[in-house]
Amino acid sequence: MKKTIIAILALLIGAFGCTEEPEEPIFSVEKAKEALDFGVIQYQHKMNATPPGKVPVTFKDDTVRYSDIYWWVSGFYPGSLWYLFEYTGNEIFKNEAHKRTMFLEPLKDHRATHDLGFMLYCSFGNGLRLTGNDEYKQILLTGAESLASRYNPVVEAIKSWDWSDEWQFPVIIDNMMNLEFLMWAAEASGNENFENIAMNHSYTSKNNFYRDDYSSYHVIDFDTLTGNVINKFTHQGYSDESAWARGQSWGLYGFTMMFRESGEEYFLNLAMNIADFLLDHPNLPEDKIPYWDYDAPDIPDTYRDASAGAIMASALLELSTFVEDAKSEKYFNAAEIILANLSSENYMANEGENGNFILKHSVGFLPADSEVDVPLSYADYYFIEALHRYINIK
Ligand code: GLY
């Protein structure tokens, strides 16, 4: 009798599949570590191959392209080195990160761009976070003054570009990314002006950049006498009314970060609406790596932008920690899918190839036929950051 009951139980268990192997998760801490381990190897090659005084940007026609320190991406290479030092604890990364970071010191007095957050906070900011080096702190505080000098109290925003007389006061959605630097500076210096500027810039952006469907314009030109909007348009996207992919990711990341820094619920609600717009978009492919513009007319026969995917994954991971239940799960699962795909051979380079960058297939500026379907230093930076965030959350 006993044997018969055991046999029946065994049959039932078999029939309902309880003995089947559990499905392998799409992504995991082990896989995140494998991806970071590959980043470590690839960036060891990169450190050996990068001449002193050069800032790696991209790789095209079998050649690594470099810039000087004044190009907006200059903080990403040192920033990636800092993250890899954090991951490995390896002094080689720390020394190289320090060298490449200090090389950017003149930027602290550079008042001709809004990109100082990218340039200084990704480099010196990560360095300060990991080492507490006071020299970094002083450089950052001077740099924050330079960034704040671009604020206009009538427009209540920081001016993005100076390089054309065509516009009075151009502001781009990307500029949200520079505000974390000012929020840090307010805390570190006790000067509330930095925080006021960051908050006002965020409100101005929230109120003007977003369409009813929560897609974002790329550029807005403001009137400096009235603060009114003169024109809304694109520079790097497909059209003035389209949703340029990286701009959408910058906005998502920027408002998520500003909610973290300020606790302002308007920013959280906007970040959720942006995330839902992107994740529910009919043109977001199954692997969730966006095309370079959500409204590109030749989808699906056009380029993906891995940088937009990496920035989005990093933002979604943080956003998932600020919300609950189904929303949290939606954002976290989407980030996992993005990271799983970026870690696959579809996007990840082979060792020693791709100019020693980690990710392939990003788009810098397609309408100018510049940096199309190439690696980009910021795609790597936000991918590495997202992998860190993933491991920390898990
Ligand atoms: N901030 C410039 C870009 O995203 O291309």
Side-chain angles (χ1 to χ4, degrees):
M1 180 64 180
K2 211 173 172 185
K3 273 189 187 160
T4 319
I5 290 171
I6 289 169
I8 290 170
L9 276 175
L11 272 175
L12 281 173
I13 287 166
F16 288 105
C18 297
T19 54
E20 274 175 25
E21 287 289 309
E23 229 179 82
E24 207 192 320
I26 180 140
F27 205 58
S28 62
V29 169
E30 287 67 36
K31 288 182 180 175
K33 287 186 174 167
E34 272 169 34
L36 280 172
D37 289 342
F38 173 70
V40 168
I41 293 170
Q42 196 73 336
Y43 269 60
Q44 268 163 349
H45 292 307
K46 199 161 202 42
M47 285 193 294
N48 294 334
T50 305
K54 298 273 189 183
V55 177
V57 179
T58 184
F59 179 70
K60 198 183 170 209
D61 301 332
D62 282 334
T63 310
V64 177
R65 306 294 164 123
Y66 299 101
S67 72
D68 63 22
I69 63 168
Y70 295 96
W71 183 230
W72 74 279
V73 305
S74 58
F76 294 118
Y77 178 51
S80 294
L81 295 174
W82 281 120
Y83 271 128
L84 294 175
F85 165 60
E86 183 176 12
Y87 177 63
T88 57
N90 186 334
E91 293 286 316
I92 292 176
F93 279 110
K94 184 182 176 187
N95 295 338
E96 187 69 6
H98 172 73
K99 218 164 49 186
R100 299 286 169 177
T101 294
M102 287 308 291
F103 182 59
L104 306 185
E105 185 182 358
L107 293 173
K108 70 182 191 298
D109 300 312
H110 183 55
R111 297 190 165 204
T113 179
H114 69 136
D115 285 321
L116 291 177
F118 285 124
M119 297 153 109
L120 293 175
Y121 202 60
C122 297
S123 53
F124 290 95
N126 276 310
L128 178 64
R129 180 175 66 80
L130 294 171
T131 67
N133 184 336
D134 193 61
E135 194 179 6
Y136 297 169
K137 184 176 168 184
Q138 299 315 320
I139 291 166
L140 282 167
L141 287 174
T142 307
E145 294 285 355
S146 297
L147 177 55
S149 74
R150 301 182 62 76
Y151 179 73
N152 180 312
V154 177
V155 180
E156 298 196 313
I158 296 164
K159 188 180 182 191
S160 291
W161 296 331
D162 291 351
W163 47 264
S164 171
D165 293 337
E166 207 183 321
W167 313 301
Q168 271 195 41
F169 196 93
V171 180
I172 63 176
I173 189 62
D174 324 23
N175 203 342
M176 285 298 302
M177 297 295 290
N178 294 303
L179 306 180
E180 186 171 6
F181 181 26
L182 293 183
M183 294 302 274
W184 166 84
E187 179 79 27
S189 66
N191 181 350
E192 281 177 12
N193 193 38
F194 292 126
E195 180 177 345
N196 294 338
I197 290 174
M199 291 298 282
N200 288 350
H201 184 102
S202 301
Y203 286 122
T204 302
S205 300
K206 174 184 95 57
N207 294 338
N208 291 288
F209 273 95
Y210 284 88
R211 307 181 182 105
D212 290 346
D213 63 0
Y214 295 104
S215 64
S216 168
Y217 286 93
H218 180 204
V219 193
I220 300 183
D221 188 22
F222 289 93
D223 185 321
T224 50
L225 294 180
T226 62
N228 292 339
V229 170
I230 299 172
N231 195 8
K232 301 187 183 190
F233 56 100
T234 196
H235 182 63
Q236 282 161 265
Y238 164 64
S239 74
D240 291 343
E241 291 302 322
S242 74
W244 173 53
R246 195 162 52 257
Q248 311 311 305
S249 293
W250 291 142
L252 173 65
Y253 191 118
F255 282 103
T256 303
M257 172 276 296
M258 279 305 291
F259 171 70
R260 179 224 306 150
E261 293 297 320
S262 69
E264 171 59 88
E265 292 282 332
Y266 285 128
F267 301 157
L268 177 62
N269 289 333
L270 178 54
M272 288 167 70
N273 283 322
I274 300 168
D276 293 338
F277 167 76
L278 298 179
L279 296 178
D280 301 342
H281 199 290
N283 286 344
L284 183 69
E286 217 167 283
D287 70 4
K288 301 201 192 300
I289 314 298
Y291 293 97
W292 71 279
D293 189 309
Y294 287 80
D295 298 303
D298 39 0
I299 287 173
D301 299 318
T302 191
Y303 301 99
R304 305 298 190 87
D305 181 7
S307 77
I311 298 157
M312 178 156 76
S314 192
L316 287 171
L317 286 170
E318 175 157 61
L319 187 58
S320 77
T321 66
F322 297 147
V323 294
E324 286 176 355
D325 307 327
K327 281 284 182 196
S328 178
E329 208 173 307
K330 175 179 176 180
Y331 302 150
F332 188 81
N333 291 348
E336 278 197 309
I337 292 171
I338 295 173
L339 291 181
N341 285 299
L342 291 180
S343 304
S344 76
E345 61 186 17
N346 293 341
Y347 292 92
M348 203 175 238
N350 293 320
E351 185 185 338
E353 296 179 2
N354 202 38
N356 299 315
F357 289 96
I358 302 170
L359 292 179
K360 305 179 281 186
H361 303 313
S362 288
V363 171
F365 189 178
L366 190 137
D369 196 21
S370 169
E371 299 177 340
V372 178
D373 198 21
V374 291
L376 288 167
S377 59
Y378 43 97
D380 283 8
Y381 176 86
Y382 288 102
F383 181 51
I384 295 170
E385 179 186 88
L387 293 166
H388 269 87
R389 286 184 172 182
Y390 181 83
I391 292 168
N392 289 340
I393 291 173
K394 285 288 256 195

